[in-house]
Amino acid sequence: MTELPDEPAGASPDELSTVAPRLRDLRRRSGLTLETAARLVGLSPAHLSRLETNQRQPSLPMLLALARTYGTTVSDLLGETAPERDPIVRAGWAEPSEAGGWTYWTAGGAGRAMQALRVLVPQRAQGDLVRVHPGEEWLYVLNGRLRLTLGAAVHVLEPGDAAHFDSLTPHRIAAASPGGAELLFVHTLLQSGAAELCLGDDTRRRGL
């Protein structure tokens, strides 16, 4: 598995001050050492330590991997305050967040077995990231064109198109239109010893 690359340390202290201690607290609450948690997520212990001490900005795929490993949601990692178990999510409740070039809004409630997001994927953002992890994913294209790679197959999705796939299938998500793509994205949250996130292009993955 390719280790997740370092992210630029460009986030503001205010943005990181909430995430970093929550990452540390959730890891400890899960009973995981720094070394064990880093191995499950696909990071080095030093990289995870930097995330927990405000020295690095986690990307959205990295936050997804950490959330799955700790059995929680990205919203919880970010300290968002959507009402617990409220079945209604109002449009004005979710503030946009950005990670790894993607902008996303929480579209589901906290404490559920699935997480729903509305995601804006700019062109060329994270287009070389290959993801592999337990669970299922469903997405629906709202605007723009999306390039979805599942294993060796490449699909271009238009507005109104949807995809539902097993997350253990190596997959990439990238915008295929100059203005980017906007989509609804739902994934299951599984706390599993097999949870991992593999990033990199095909050449790098073949060299593992």
Side-chain angles (χ1 to χ4, degrees):
M1 181 176 61
T2 303
E3 182 182 321
L4 292 165
D6 280 349
E7 294 296 321
S12 71
D14 288 343
E15 290 172 333
L16 290 176
S17 61
T18 299
V19 177
R22 291 186 70 81
L23 290 177
R24 183 177 58 249
D25 291 344
L26 284 168
R27 173 177 60 77
R28 291 174 176 173
R29 223 181 300 165
S30 299
L32 298 174
T33 65
L34 187 70
E35 291 74 15
T36 300
R39 177 175 54 80
L40 292 175
V41 179
L43 298 172
S44 68
H47 192 155
L48 182 55
S49 178
R50 287 194 291 269
L51 294 178
E52 293 185 354
T53 54
N54 284 3
Q55 298 177 50
R56 288 290 175 185
Q57 177 188 9
S59 64
L60 178 55
M62 199 178 295
L63 288 173
L64 289 169
L66 288 163
R68 292 186 183 102
T69 299
Y70 300 152
T72 186
T73 66
V74 171
S75 300
D76 187 42
L77 289 181
L78 296 175
E80 295 175 356
T81 56
E84 183 80 11
R85 297 295 184 182
D86 192 321
I88 306 302
V89 180
R90 301 293 182 185
W93 286 354
E95 294 292 330
S97 299
E98 184 173 335
W102 291 8
T103 303
Y104 63 96
W105 296 258
T106 300
R112 303 290 185 176
M114 298 186 299
Q115 182 171 26
L117 303 169
R118 179 166 64 91
V119 183
L120 178 61
V121 183
Q123 193 178 37
R124 293 183 296 277
Q126 302 182 19
D128 63 341
L129 304 188
V130 179
R131 301 166 174 83
V132 180
H133 51 83
E136 295 182 31
E137 295 186 23
W138 174 89
L139 59 85
Y140 177 92
V141 181
L142 297 170
N143 295 295
R145 300 168 71 235
L146 190 76
R147 181 178 296 106
L148 174 65
T149 304
L150 297 174
V154 179
H155 309 272
V156 176
L157 280 63
E158 305 282 348
D161 290 343
H164 189 172
F165 55 92
D166 189 320
S167 304
L168 285 174
T169 302
H171 52 284
R172 295 180 183 180
I173 297 173
S177 50
E182 185 177 9
L183 59 141
L184 294 177
F185 175 78
V186 178
H187 68 97
T188 55
L189 292 166
L190 297 176
Q191 188 168 11
S192 167
E196 62 184 43
L197 183 68
C198 297
L199 307 184
D201 60 27
D202 289 338
T203 302
R204 289 165 58 191
R205 285 177 55 78
R206 283 197 295 268
L208 295 180

